């Protein structure tokens, strides 16, 4: 009974998370980007941007690990840690690889980050807590039994899914890092606290290729896992990044009115 109850709670949180994502998307379309290079909040509730970023991003892998290795509420359920080379452990490893970069390497490589409102950080902590719980708990408790198979066995039975999903994940993460590096290098070369028009890679066709690549990356993860939690996370990512991309795209056009390439789209090459 308790296990069924936990599944009911899980499903309720999952459905609520989807609805909240759509609400956030609508809000962002109205208010624009709440943090990043286009903001300038320096009030009493502003905190160090790099510290805030690291703390709020580390919550996601921490919560996923806690949810993944937590004991089942009841019943003879196989523990997540029983098979080191299982397919679900491989998915956890991909999650940790992403957040090693996103939560640690990425912010430490940046020359600086603008100060962030503590409320933005706390909202991100809440989001990452829920997201980490949903993905970790699904892999641990609610994934089909085949996810407990050896990763090679799982891949042999799902060749198309594994190949397609892994390519999307690797290409997406690689593209994300590549375009982040372009922005970081551009920032370092700046002689003053100003911004320049980025060039190189997919910046030739969109204003936010790093956002586009992150969407591709999490699409790959969702394809690999087949998890409703992962597909919901992809929806979350799109609801967050697409409105921010539109805002940044508009900011570029206003800031560099006479020099910004007119052929660039906001985030999806040649489309959006």
């Amino acid at each position: 009974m308790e296990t069924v109850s936990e599944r009911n709670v899980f499903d309720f949180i999952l459905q609520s998370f989807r609805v909240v994502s759509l609400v956030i998307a609508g809000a962002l379309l109205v208010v624009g980007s709440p943090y990043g290079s286009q903001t300038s909040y320096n009030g009493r509730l502003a905190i160090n941007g790099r510290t805030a970023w690291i703390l709020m991003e580390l919550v996601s892998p921490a919560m996923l690990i806690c949810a993944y290795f937590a004991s089942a509420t009841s019943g003879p359920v196989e523990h997540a840690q029983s098979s080191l080379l299982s397919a679900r452990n491989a998915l956890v490893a991909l999650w940790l690889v992403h957040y090693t970069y996103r939560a640690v390497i990425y912010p430490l490589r940046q020359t600086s980050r603008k100060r962030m409102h503590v409320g933005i950080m706390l909202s991100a902590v809440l989001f990452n807590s829920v997201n980490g719980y949903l993905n970790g708990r699904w892999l641990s408790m609610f994934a089909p039994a085949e996810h407990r198979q050896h990763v090679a066995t799982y891949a042999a039975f799902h060749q198309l899914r594994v190949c397609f999903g892994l390519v999307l994940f690797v290409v997406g993460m690689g593209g994300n890092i590549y375009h982040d590096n372009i922005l970081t290098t551009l920032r370092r070369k700046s002689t003053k606290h100003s911004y320049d028009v980025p060039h190189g890679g997919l910046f030739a066709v969109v204003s936010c290729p790093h956002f586009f690549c992150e969407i591709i990356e999490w699409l790959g993860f969702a394809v690999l896992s087949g998890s409703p939690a992962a597909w919901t996370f992809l929806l979350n990512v799109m609801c967050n990044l697409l409105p921010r991309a539109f805002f940044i795209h508009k900011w570029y056009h206003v800031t560099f009115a006479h020099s910004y390439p007119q052929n660039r789209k906001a985030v999806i090459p040649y489309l959006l």
Side-chain angles (χ1 to χ4, degrees):
M1 180 64 68
E2 292 180 1
T3 303
V4 172
S5 177
E6 181 181 1
R7 183 57 193 258
N8 290 339
V9 172
F10 176 91
D11 289 340
F12 175 77
I13 295 174
L14 188 68
Q15 296 294 339
S16 300
F17 209 35
R18 293 168 182 166
V19 174
V20 169
S21 297
L22 297 175
V23 173
I24 290 175
L28 290 176
L29 286 171
V30 175
V31 303
S33 179
Y35 61 90
S37 59
Q38 292 75 41
T39 60
S40 57
Y41 178 75
N42 288 298
R44 294 177 60 185
L45 296 179
I47 57 178
N48 181 276
R50 179 180 283 113
T51 301
W53 181 272
I54 292 173
L55 290 176
M56 72 189 199
E57 291 294 320
L58 281 177
V59 169
S60 183
M63 184 59 73
L64 180 133
I65 290 297
C66 290
Y68 187 62
F69 288 104
S71 299
T73 53
S74 68
V77 180
E78 178 185 355
H79 290 297
Q81 59 267 43
S82 60
S83 178
L84 182 61
L85 296 178
S86 67
R88 59 183 180 178
N89 280 4
L91 290 166
V92 170
L94 290 180
W95 189 279
L96 297 181
V97 167
H98 169 84
Y99 278 100
T100 297
Y101 170 72
R102 178 57 60 201
V104 181
I105 298 173
Y106 168 69
L108 293 180
R109 291 191 68 247
Q110 291 185 303
T111 55
S112 64
R113 286 194 68 90
K114 287 192 173 181
R115 293 174 68 78
M116 184 185 296
H117 193 293
V118 67
I120 298 298
M121 186 198 75
L122 292 177
S123 65
V125 167
L126 177 60
F127 170 88
N128 286 327
S129 297
V130 174
N131 189 47
Y133 161 77
L134 289 173
N135 281 276
R137 207 57 176 158
W138 188 87
L139 289 170
S140 176
M141 287 287 295
F142 307 125
E146 62 183 8
H147 282 67
R148 300 189 182 110
Q149 295 174 337
H150 191 283
V151 64
T153 304
Y154 180 84
F157 280 97
H158 301 282
Q159 294 182 19
L160 183 60
R161 174 197 287 183
V162 170
C163 289
F164 184 53
L166 192 59
V167 167
L168 287 175
F169 185 88
V170 172
V171 170
M173 184 169 182
N176 194 355
I177 294 172
Y178 174 75
H179 293 99
D180 281 346
N181 285 341
I182 291 177
L183 292 173
T184 299
T185 301
L186 185 65
R187 187 68 169 153
R188 286 174 177 169
K189 290 180 178 179
S190 179
T191 57
K192 55 184 179 180
H193 294 291
S194 61
Y195 293 89
D196 297 312
V197 177
H199 294 279
L202 290 177
F203 277 112
V205 290
V206 292
S207 296
C208 301
H210 47 318
F211 290 175
F212 173 68
C213 289
E214 185 155 355
I215 291 171
I216 294 299
E217 179 184 358
W218 290 116
L219 172 60
F221 186 86
V223 169
L224 276 170
S225 67
S227 162
W231 285 107
T232 298
F233 183 32
L234 176 62
L235 174 65
N236 300 149
V237 169
M238 294 177 67
C239 286
N240 179 35
L241 296 187
L242 291 179
R244 290 189 61 218
F246 296 146
F247 181 80
I248 292 171
H249 183 65
K250 181 179 179 181
W251 179 87
Y252 273 130
H253 276 281
V254 172
T255 305
F256 305 101
H258 302 294
S259 59
Y260 197 71
Q262 296 299 309
N263 65 312
R264 290 187 188 181
K265 298 296 185 180
V267 61
I268 301 178
Y270 309 109
L271 291 178
L272 191 65

